Amino acid sequence: MTSSDKPENASDTAAAEPTSVAARDWATASADPQYRAAVVDLLGALAYGELAAFERLAEDAKLAPTLEDKAELAKMASAEFHHFERLRDRLAEIGEEPTRAMEPFVAAYDGFHKQTAPSDWLEGLVKAYVGDSIASDFYREVAARLDSDSRNLVLAVLDDTGHGGFAVEKVRAAIEADPRVGGRLALWARRLMGEALSQSQRVVADRDALSTMLVGGVADGFDLAEVGKMFSRITEAHTKRMAALGLAA
Amino acid sequence: MTSSDKPENASDTAAAEPTSVAARDWATASADPQYRAAVVDLLGALAYGELAAFERLAEDAKLAPTLEDKAELAKMASAEFHHFERLRDRLAEIGEEPTRAMEPFVAAYDGFHKQTAPSDWLEGLVKAYVGDSIASDFYREVAARLDSDSRNLVLAVLDDTGHGGFAVEKVRAAIEADPRVGGRLALWARRLMGEALSQSQRVVADRDALSTMLVGGVADGFDLAEVGKMFSRITEAHTKRMAALGLAA
């Protein structure tokens, strides 16, 4: 395979060449139908994740004790919506129907949010912060394994996350004011992480193309052990963040 | 009063000069404390209106039958949030505490939305469309009466409304498919307008500075008859839009 531009649907190329996927652009890398399907899955999963996050953050903004707090959560929600737009537009650009790409992931995200509806403002803040951080970690892990065009998109969306920082200060202040709050929120954060992992496993089990990419069938350097390591790194980063927040994770 | 820049808090100026407010900039016009208070009220009312609209549109997006429809309503919600940001930032820029400026209007907007929670997707669409259109009409009416800086802000926010157009097609199709839907939605639109007018009256009755500006005490050309005419124009435009939608208003 050369690095020159190829029509997206070219199928006369050898997919499993040793050339790094990360060194190819989309036109070249997507000639492999399995890689293409995996990226469509990935973009669909990320896109619906952002739309669902928009909806839940907007919902959780109702729990805000002040107008300023409400505006902060609304700002995160709006940022998630713009991520959704970029991912959806990219799906359309590569000739995929965005709705069809998102649909396989609706049940997992909706299940996650249904299981983790915050019962008060602090739980909402912890969820916003944890969700935002885990999403960033995951985007960063995955980006490195993608063709250059897909990577640039994922990094651009990633670059615009990190709105969760405002939550840290509020949560820390609440724990200082009443240390028992810390125990309750630590349990809550653990439940969030557990639910996120269990929904991720469900997705990995259901989606062949995506899983194959993650375990190294198509993209670079991901075997089953590597996926395990990725989950460990994400969990470790979560634990550190919780400790910084004053929560035992 | 000269047209040269003045400190915002200068109080040594004659407020009721015949010079048109519309010909002045904020620095000059706001030297009149009553005009200043009226604009702060107006920006506070618009800002909270946008934040409340964000919240309700995001909520109504849940009623969407498809992911595409959900994304359309989420897009409107996100646009409202950005309007909120501009208005809030302007309040801060002129040295006002945004939350304090918004608070007097929370009850009216929350009351409106509480009284007009859509019971299904079509009611949500009609509300999004009607709300967006009335907001545009009102912004346009008010902009002409403001100092040049406030006017530019209001027109910039106005310029970015009109996301409600997508609702028209959907509502019209639903009425064609089942004409009885038209009767129900016509009643609904009438209720929306009635509730909006009754909450506006409540605000006008409560807020001295704003009302005085609207009835011509400070700004240009608004006397009580003129306010009545403004409401008539907005109601008429609403009626025309409803007719275009296939609804008797």
Side-chain angles (χ1 to χ4, degrees), chain B residues 128-204:
Chain B
Y129 175 62
V130 166
D132 197 62
S133 309
I134 292 181
S136 301
D137 288 348
F138 180 71
Y139 277 35
R140 199 174 287 115
E141 290 275 355
V142 168
R145 272 86 183 174
L146 297 173
D147 66 273
S148 56
D149 295 312
S150 304
R151 182 170 61 248
N152 289 341
L153 171 66
V154 168
L155 290 177
V157 172
L158 168 65
D159 210 35
D160 188 40
T161 61
H163 296 278
F166 91 99
V168 173
E169 187 194 338
K170 303 261 172 189
V171 172
R172 206 181 278 153
I175 295 170
E176 265 166 37
D178 178 0
R180 285 168 307 175
V181 166
R184 178 166 71 82
L185 292 179
L187 277 176
W188 170 244
R190 225 170 297 161
R191 211 176 109 203
L192 290 172
M193 197 61 183
E195 197 61 43
L197 287 175
S198 98
Q199 296 293 349
S200 310
Q201 282 165 345
R202 183 170 155 185
V203 166
V204 169

Side-chain angles (χ1 to χ4, degrees), chain A residues 42-67:
Chain A
L42 180 70
L43 297 179
L46 295 179
Y48 188 72
E50 298 288 2
L51 189 58
F54 160 82
E55 201 162 22
R56 298 307 163 138
L57 286 167
E59 170 86 20
D60 297 347
K62 286 187 204 155
L63 300 166
T66 70
L67 287 180

